[in-house]
């Protein structure tokens, strides 16, 4: 009897909407107690019918967004799809719960990744297109200097494709605002845009390759233009067991709040074996085996800065250098804990699991170059030589910055490194 009464309430709620041609409608069954007032339940639900429908569409959009960004996490997508199906079949509409992530920040318990709303996804598409345009402008300057008709023709073709894509994105925004797109059609359209973007990235990368052939193997930078959970670079080799280290790099960012994670090194059983991170409104931190030291860097100004961190396991002594000058030091940072070997070294993302578990809120946004690792403590003079781009400056004896040592994923790009050229 409660179910039958619920069906009557549903017809009262959705009858007018069906008469107005809203298209496909999901039916929500509401049980009413034997002694309950059916009319009161009807009046209470009238104002929320559209909200319920909107919540279902929002949940479906969340699933579709995952298909766009996490091709390597099919298990997560299947889990989300199953949960959404259960929600719809049982007429239970609720937002996913939130748990606590590392250092007290909230994270989604349905997966390691942040789920941006549709508007943010569209914004990211627009920023990706803008990034492609910038790369094409750089290619245009290069082609002028080299008078290559083939490069010019390819650039024009790619420019036209980007213009078409922008029209598609604008059309998609309008369709979403007017409610014309069904989830299936939206998924198909998103897939087409994805495919075209991938093709554009590949074609532009092929054009850029001609520029790379004439530069030294270490004269390049990595660019992470968006705060995503899929753009990153991976160092091909692991770190050995180390009782001391020096890690130096050039870095440029104006992201706010916090530039994110320039690098993270995870080993089996410990995702935070060695991490450099600036997250939220916190200062930049170095983590060793989950122990933390705050670093006195001031580099979030959109300019190139050279930074170095040195550490020894004896007493956990550390030093921090910015632009060749020591700005801070301390001790008791993971003392007598050697850095473990056989891990995964990632640039641009913080690992929650070995080689993965990326969270967009912790992603690095900006440019990074000359990431070098030594298994000893560098002297102040050696650090100064690196920061001033001295010809005598040496590469890391554990990790040396070279294109052959780095793989990039998710649309992160390589470009010619500029900071040392400006200094010289």
């Amino acid at each position: 009897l409660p179910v039958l009464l619920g069906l009557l309430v549903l017809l009262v709620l959705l009858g007018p909407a069906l008469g107005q041609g809203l298209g496909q409608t999901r039916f929500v069954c509401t049980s009413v107690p034997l002694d309950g007032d059916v009319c009161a339940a009807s009046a209470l639900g009238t104002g929320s019918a559209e909200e319920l429908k909107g919540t279902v569409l929002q949940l479906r959009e969340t699933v579709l967004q995952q298909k766009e960004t996490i091709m390597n996490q099919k298990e997560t997508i299947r889990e989300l799809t199953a949960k959404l199906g259960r929600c719809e079949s049982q007429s239970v509409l609720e937002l996913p719960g939130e748990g606590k992530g590392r250092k007290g920040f909230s994270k989604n318990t349905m997966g390691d990744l942040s789920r941006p709303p549709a508007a943010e996804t569209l914004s990211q598409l627009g920023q990706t297109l803008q990034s492609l345009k910038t790369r094409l402008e750089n290619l245009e300057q290069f082609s002028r200097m080299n008078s290559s008709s083939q490069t010019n023709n390819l650039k024009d073709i790619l420019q036209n494709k980007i213009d078409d894509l922008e029209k598609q994105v604008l059309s998609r925004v309008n369709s979403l605002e007017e409610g014309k797109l069904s989830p299936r059609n939206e998924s198909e359209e998103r897939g087409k845009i994805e495919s075209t973007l991938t093709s554009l990235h590949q074609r532009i990368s092929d054009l850029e390759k001609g520029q790379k052939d004439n530069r030294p193997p270490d004269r390049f930078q990595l660019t992470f233009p968006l705060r995503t959970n899929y753009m990153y670079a991976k160092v091909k080799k692991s770190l050995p067991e180390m009782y001391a280290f020096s890690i130096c790099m050039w870095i440029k960012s104006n992201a706010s709040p916090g530039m994110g994670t320039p690098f993270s090194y995870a080993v089996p059983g410990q995702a935070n074996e060695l991490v450099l991170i600036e997250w939220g409104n916190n200062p930049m931190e170095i983590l060793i085996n989950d122990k933390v030291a705050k670093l006195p860097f001031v580099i979030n100004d959109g300019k190139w800065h050279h930074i170095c961190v040195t550490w020894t396991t004896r007493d956990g002594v550390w030093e921090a250098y910015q632009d060749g000058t020591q700005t801070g030091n301390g001790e008791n940072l993971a003392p007598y804990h050697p850095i473990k070997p056989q891990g995964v070294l990632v640039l641009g993302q913080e690992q929650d699991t070995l080689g993965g578990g990326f969270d967009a809120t912790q992603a690095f946004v900006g440019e990074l170059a000359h990431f070098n690792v030594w298994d000893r403590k560098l002297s102040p003079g050696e650090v100064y030589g690196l920061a001033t781009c001295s010809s005598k400056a040496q590469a890391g004896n554990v990790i040396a910055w070279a294109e052959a040592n780095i793989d990039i994923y998710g649309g992160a790009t390589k470009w010619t490194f500029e900071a040392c050229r400006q200094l010289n």
Side-chain angles (χ1 to χ4, degrees):
L1 181 58
V3 173
L4 292 176
L5 289 174
L7 287 173
L8 289 174
V9 172
L10 175 67
L11 291 175
V12 172
L13 293 178
L14 298 183
L18 292 173
Q20 294 173 7
L22 289 178
Q24 271 191 331
T25 304
R26 296 199 178 279
F27 292 91
V28 181
C29 298
T30 304
S31 62
V32 179
L34 289 174
D35 56 349
D37 187 346
V38 176
C39 294
S42 173
L44 180 63
T46 301
S48 61
E50 288 301 321
E51 295 177 4
L52 295 176
K53 179 182 175 183
T55 304
V56 172
L57 292 176
Q58 183 179 3
L59 288 171
R60 186 179 296 280
E61 174 66 18
T62 300
V63 175
L64 292 174
Q65 287 172 6
Q66 294 307 305
K67 292 179 181 178
E68 174 189 6
T69 58
I70 337 171
M71 294 301 294
N72 63 335
Q73 297 194 15
K74 295 180 180 178
E75 289 299 326
T76 302
I77 295 175
R78 281 197 286 268
E79 178 187 354
L80 287 170
T81 304
K83 289 187 177 183
L84 178 58
R86 289 198 297 272
C87 284
E88 292 178 342
S89 64
Q90 299 171 10
S91 299
V92 178
L93 302 175
E94 58 183 358
L95 294 175
E98 290 186 346
K100 286 290 182 180
R102 184 174 60 78
K103 295 188 290 183
F105 285 80
S106 63
K107 296 182 71 176
N108 196 319
T109 58
M110 293 177 71
D112 288 317
L113 310 176
S114 295
R115 276 83 175 176
E120 185 174 337
T121 302
L122 292 173
S123 175
Q124 288 189 356
L125 276 174
Q127 291 180 61
T128 301
L129 290 171
Q130 186 58 48
S131 173
L132 290 173
K133 276 189 167 183
T134 300
R135 292 168 67 187
L136 279 174
E137 289 172 0
N138 290 329
L139 287 170
E140 184 178 20
Q141 296 175 0
F142 176 78
S143 64
R144 286 197 193 115
M145 292 186 292
N146 291 271
S147 300
S148 169
S149 60
Q150 182 181 8
T151 301
N152 277 324
N153 291 335
L154 284 173
K155 179 190 71 64
D156 292 338
I157 292 172
L158 292 173
Q159 183 65 63
N160 290 335
K161 285 191 174 183
I162 288 180
D163 291 340
D164 290 341
L165 269 178
E166 287 184 317
K167 292 176 183 177
Q168 290 182 42
V169 172
L170 180 60
S171 173
R172 182 168 173 271
V173 172
N174 292 335
S175 297
L176 279 174
E177 290 176 347
E178 296 172 6
K180 292 180 180 179
L181 280 181
S182 70
R184 177 178 297 178
N185 291 338
E186 185 184 345
S187 178
E188 291 175 357
E189 187 171 345
R190 186 192 297 271
K192 292 177 183 177
I193 293 176
E194 252 183 52
S195 176
T196 308
L197 280 175
T198 300
S199 174
L200 283 169
H201 275 300
Q202 185 59 51
R203 295 288 296 276
I204 293 176
S205 296
D206 290 342
L207 289 174
E208 291 170 343
K209 187 176 180 182
Q211 293 176 301
K212 297 174 185 176
D213 292 340
N214 299 321
R215 72 183 183 215
D218 66 339
R219 190 63 65 85
F220 76 101
Q221 68 189 47
L222 298 180
T223 299
F224 304 91
L226 306 174
R227 196 180 295 279
T228 72
N229 49 31
Y230 53 83
M231 284 189 182
Y232 68 102
K234 184 178 178 181
V235 180
K236 292 183 179 180
K237 60 183 294 188
S238 176
L239 298 179
E241 184 172 64
M242 296 191 300
Y243 293 84
F245 68 72
S246 295
I247 299 178
C248 302
M249 72 197 78
W250 283 92
I251 199 167
K252 176 182 178 182
S253 178
N254 60 0
S256 179
M259 69 175 62
T261 309
F263 76 87
S264 65
Y265 176 67
V267 298
Q270 176 53 280
N272 298 321
E273 181 68 7
L274 180 55
V275 181
L276 183 67
I277 185 171
E278 184 183 75
W279 195 26
N281 294 313
N282 299 316
M284 184 166 281
E285 299 172 340
I286 183 82
L287 283 76
I288 300 177
N289 191 34
D290 262 332
K291 306 302 185 294
V292 182
K294 298 185 184 301
L295 305 178
F297 291 145
V298 182
I299 53 181
N300 194 9
D301 57 4
K303 299 178 181 179
W304 279 108
H305 293 281
H306 187 266
I307 61 173
C308 276
V309 180
T310 70
W311 171 86
T312 60
T313 185
R314 181 173 180 138
D315 295 326
V317 175
W318 61 270
E319 296 174 344
Y321 293 82
Q322 179 177 327
D323 298 327
T325 302
Q326 185 180 135
T327 57
N329 60 78
E331 58 183 21
N332 202 34
L333 174 59
Y336 305 102
H337 170 84
I339 303 299
K340 296 178 182 177
Q342 305 305 315
V344 176
L345 181 56
V346 167
L347 306 179
Q349 295 283 355
E350 195 272 340
Q351 303 172 67
D352 283 341
T353 60
L354 187 65
F358 304 145
D359 185 335
T361 63
Q362 298 171 319
F364 173 69
V365 181
E367 297 165 272
L368 185 150
H370 280 250
F371 177 86
N372 286 278
V373 182
W374 293 260
D375 59 3
R376 63 181 181 86
K377 179 180 175 181
L378 294 182
S379 68
E382 289 174 315
V383 173
Y384 183 78
L386 292 167
T388 54
C389 298
S390 168
S391 59
K392 297 180 181 179
Q394 54 187 321
N397 67 328
V398 174
I399 300 294
W401 185 248
E403 291 195 65
N405 296 338
I406 305 289
D407 287 328
I408 57 176
Y409 301 91
T413 57
K414 293 180 181 177
W415 199 251
T416 302
F417 178 57
E418 300 294 341
C420 279
R421 179 182 298 178
Q422 294 171 8
L423 289 175
N424 294 330

